[in-house]
Amino acid sequence: MNLFTGTRSKGSAATGKRSRSALLALAAASTAAALAITVAAPTATAAPGAIPPGLSCSTGKHAIDDYTGFALCSNNGSQTQVFWVHLVCGWSPDVDGNHVTLRPGESGQSTAHCGSLGTGIGEIHVRP
């Protein structure tokens, strides 16, 4: 149907069926491509880094705020270490906390806060 004049086209019925089947095939291919991207993306970024030897850490959520997470680490090794907390925030973008440098024997904490429009903290990782 011509949207400007309100009249139907004079093409055959077979032409309309071919157009519809082509549109359905395109929609199916687009959906499959979108799902493939959605499934592949999280698995590529979900692997956390290993904590360096000599660094001992505990992680958790703030006692009264489910959107704030922390990593409390001690350097039990003989070399200076740098670490930070990484929060996986569900619907909001993931966030990294402040970078903390610890000399041997020192302790320190890195904190981060997920966006309030999200679903809160899903995972907490320590990144070296």
Side-chain angles (χ1 to χ4, degrees):
M1 175 175 271
N2 187 331
L3 296 178
F4 294 108
T5 63
T7 59
R8 291 186 181 259
S9 64
K10 296 182 181 176
S12 68
T15 303
K17 288 181 181 177
R18 270 187 270 144
S19 297
R20 182 173 181 203
S21 63
L23 286 174
L24 289 174
L26 178 62
S30 298
T31 302
L35 289 174
I37 291 169
T38 303
V39 171
T43 57
T45 59
I51 297 175
L55 200 59
S56 173
C57 300
S58 60
T59 62
K61 293 180 185 178
H62 191 274
I64 58 172
D65 181 7
D66 284 337
Y67 291 84
T68 300
F70 66 88
L72 178 61
C73 297
S74 298
N75 185 351
N76 300 326
S78 60
Q79 297 180 2
T80 300
Q81 302 278 359
V82 176
F83 78 95
W84 62 92
V85 68
H86 175 79
L87 303 180
V88 178
C89 295
W91 290 100
S92 294
D94 297 350
V95 292
D96 288 330
N98 54 313
H99 290 209
V100 178
T101 302
L102 300 177
R103 292 186 295 256
E106 289 184 334
S107 296
Q109 180 174 330
S110 176
T111 59
H113 188 80
C114 289
S116 60
L117 295 177
T119 56
I121 299 171
E123 295 178 16
I124 302 174
H125 301 281
V126 176
R127 298 285 169 93

